[in-house]
Amino acid sequence: MARTRATKAAPAAKTESSNASSTAKYTLPEESSSAPQLFIIPQKATREARIVSLPNPRYSKPTRYLLCSETGIYEFTKVAAPKTTPRSWMIETTACTLEETDEKDESRLEAQVTNSADLFVATAVDPLFLLVPGLFGTAKPTDTKRLFLSSDDHFDAVSTSSSHMSEALRCPKTRALLESRMEVVCDTVDAGDEKMYRLSEKKLVLQILAKARSMSSKGLPASMDEKFVKKVLEAPIQVQKSQAVKVEVAANTANTSTPSNETGESQSSVSTVDSKASATSNVSTAATSVDGEVAEETVVSAIQASAEVTSLQRLKVAFSFICSSYVAPGMALILKKLLADKETSGVDFSPLDEYVVQLTKLRAEAASSRSMADYSRKRMLDEEEEEARAEKKRKMEEEKKKKASQTRGVKALGKVNTTGMKKMSDFFKKK
């Protein structure tokens, strides 16, 4: 009868005590669908400050702003980490509200980790830019002149159903702030107890120009200054050749007291007598000869922008940056045209315009000379290739003529296998 091996008994099930000991000591909470975000707000902002949604002056889309009735309006600038290097924040807060927080009570601290390391910094923004779309939009394209309207009419043109403009205007201080900024860029008239406003494009240009002056005087960011000022005003380089005379000075020591002149050399000798020793001292003779001329090449810029031209370019770049950030594209074109008008802006950009015209001409000349140099270089290469082909053809023709002049016997001898055979000169060597 065949034997069968008994199977090993199954291990006993783990007890509840072992399961309890293997469980984690700390449990991670479930990830929240609305993760907190980190904001940096000014210290002067009061507790009544709120985050509101207002139309973006550039794109007319709802955008988050920090509204404080005491200190003004702030925009949020997002500072994000590179996508290639993920980062996160661990935010520690107390379980109670900010009003009930006690600095000494740290027993109820809560911490939460966010997946993104985005940081939102609140920076002050001029409320004037929030009102510019409404001030521009009140006039139709066919109108030759804008009408005087009340502040409520201008506010209604800005506010939308998705914005909190109407709620913000309920605060008297916020309303007074917006009306004061509106008055700076508008012509006003009194209609009874109410003040009427009409946009003055000249005043608006002057306000933005004042901000651009302040921005350019403090210095533009290094990357912006390099790309939009230095690169734009950089002129093409030129190579200047100067001939310098090479001079060789040879010091010869002579004991003679009589000078002698030779061709190509000028010698001078001085004889000094010592009164005590009554002896003639040695004289040092310097001979200067012109050996030749040396050509030196200096790389210089074709033209150099003056300080006035550079300052005007920085001012123009700062004005364009402000318009591209806070003014709609169609309105920005109108303001840039007014900036170029000397009577409207009060700034003369003619030195900058003349420099740009001259710079454009020099760049065109440099491009044409570079193309001519490339053409001449290519032509030289073509000539060299043509000479090489002609030389090869000449050698082939000579070889062909040489073969044609050979006799039949010489051709037959050329085909003979001479491997291992002695040369004819070996038979005539001395033994």
Side-chain angles (χ1 to χ4, degrees):
M1 183 176 179
R3 295 183 179 181
T4 58
R5 179 179 292 180
T7 58
K8 189 176 181 180
K14 295 182 179 180
T15 60
E16 294 181 359
S17 59
S18 62
N19 290 335
S21 61
S22 63
T23 56
K25 186 176 181 180
Y26 301 99
T27 57
L28 295 176
E30 295 182 0
E31 186 177 355
S32 176
S33 58
S34 58
Q37 294 178 338
L38 196 60
F39 292 85
I40 296 180
I41 61 176
Q43 291 183 349
K44 59 182 180 180
T46 60
R47 292 181 179 272
E48 288 75 18
R50 295 292 182 267
I51 295 178
V52 297
S53 177
L54 299 175
N56 186 283
R58 175 73 175 177
Y59 304 105
S60 301
K61 295 181 179 179
T63 309
R64 299 290 184 181
Y65 292 90
L66 179 66
L67 177 61
C68 180
S69 58
E70 299 292 337
T71 59
I73 302 176
Y74 302 87
E75 63 177 345
F76 290 107
T77 303
K78 182 179 178 181
V79 181
K83 294 182 179 180
T84 55
T85 55
R87 295 288 186 270
S88 59
W89 290 106
M90 186 178 72
I91 304 173
E92 185 182 70
T93 58
T94 55
C96 57
T97 60
L98 293 176
E99 288 77 4
E100 300 174 355
T101 302
D102 187 2
E103 295 180 357
K104 297 181 180 179
D105 185 13
E106 298 181 356
S107 58
R108 295 188 298 169
L109 293 178
E110 295 181 356
Q112 188 172 0
V113 178
T114 60
N115 292 334
S116 62
D118 297 339
L119 184 66
F120 297 90
V121 183
T123 55
V125 62
D126 193 347
L128 169 65
F129 294 113
L130 300 175
L131 304 174
V132 168
L135 297 174
F136 261 99
T138 54
K140 298 180 181 179
T142 57
D143 293 342
T144 57
K145 196 173 183 179
R146 291 184 174 88
L147 301 177
F148 284 94
L149 298 175
S150 63
S151 59
D152 290 331
D153 294 332
H154 291 297
F155 292 149
D156 292 340
V158 176
S159 60
T160 58
S161 58
S162 59
S163 68
H164 299 140
M165 179 63 76
S166 57
E167 288 80 0
L169 292 173
R170 294 176 184 175
C171 178
K173 293 183 179 180
T174 303
R175 187 182 185 89
L177 174 64
L178 295 176
E179 289 180 349
S180 64
R181 295 306 298 160
M182 187 190 301
E183 188 175 356
V184 173
V185 296
C186 290
D187 299 327
T188 59
V189 293
D190 293 330
D193 297 337
E194 191 175 10
K195 185 176 289 188
M196 311 293 283
Y197 302 88
R198 184 181 66 185
L199 176 65
S200 174
E201 295 177 350
K202 181 178 180 180
K203 292 182 179 180
L204 179 59
V205 170
L206 294 178
Q207 282 292 316
I208 300 178
L209 188 60
K211 297 179 184 295
R213 280 200 182 97
S214 177
M215 179 179 175
S216 60
S217 62
K218 296 177 182 178
L220 299 177
S223 58
M224 184 184 294
D225 191 79
E226 178 69 24
K227 184 176 181 180
F228 298 103
V229 179
K230 294 181 180 179
K231 288 290 184 182
V232 172
L233 300 179
E234 186 178 9
I237 59 174
Q238 292 180 347
V239 179
Q240 293 182 353
K241 294 183 178 180
S242 59
Q243 293 182 349
V245 179
K246 184 178 179 181
V247 179
E248 291 185 356
V249 179
N252 299 326
T253 304
N255 293 327
T256 61
S257 60
T258 304
S260 61
N261 296 330
E262 297 180 0
T263 305
E265 295 182 356
S266 62
Q267 297 180 350
S268 62
S269 60
V270 180
S271 177
T272 59
V273 179
D274 192 351
S275 59
K276 293 183 179 179
S278 299
T280 305
S281 63
N282 294 333
V283 181
S284 176
T285 304
T288 305
S289 62
V290 179
D291 184 63
E293 294 183 352
V294 179
E296 296 181 357
E297 293 184 354
T298 307
V299 179
V300 295
S301 180
I303 53 175
Q304 190 69 28
S306 62
E308 182 184 7
V309 172
T310 306
S311 177
L312 290 174
Q313 179 65 16
R314 286 197 179 98
L315 181 62
K316 197 172 183 179
V317 169
F319 188 91
S320 300
F321 175 76
I322 294 174
C323 290
S324 62
S325 301
Y326 301 105
V327 182
M331 306 174 195
L333 293 176
I334 299 174
L335 296 179
K336 289 179 181 179
K337 290 180 181 179
L338 295 174
L339 177 67
D341 187 7
K342 182 180 178 181
E343 296 180 357
T344 304
S345 62
V347 181
D348 186 12
F349 287 96
S350 57
L352 177 61
D353 297 336
E354 293 174 0
Y355 179 84
V356 171
V357 171
Q358 187 178 3
L359 183 61
T360 305
K361 184 178 179 181
L362 289 174
R363 286 176 176 173
E365 293 176 356
S368 61
S369 63
R370 184 165 55 250
S371 61
M372 289 296 295
D374 294 341
Y375 174 75
S376 60
R377 191 182 299 110
K378 183 179 179 182
R379 185 175 180 181
M380 291 176 62
L381 294 175
D382 293 342
E383 290 178 356
E384 291 177 358
E385 292 178 358
E386 187 176 354
E387 290 178 358
R389 287 195 297 268
E391 182 69 18
K392 185 177 180 181
K393 185 177 180 181
R394 185 182 62 81
K395 289 182 178 180
M396 290 177 65
E397 290 178 354
E398 289 180 356
E399 187 176 355
K400 188 176 181 181
K401 289 180 181 180
K402 186 177 179 180
K403 289 182 179 180
S405 61
Q406 290 179 353
T407 60
R408 184 177 179 182
V410 174
K411 291 180 180 180
L413 288 174
K415 296 179 181 179
V416 175
N417 186 9
T418 59
T419 305
M421 297 175 61
K422 291 184 178 182
K423 296 182 180 180
M424 292 294 293
S425 59
D426 293 340
F427 294 98
F428 298 96
K429 289 182 179 180
K430 292 182 179 181
K431 295 182 180 180

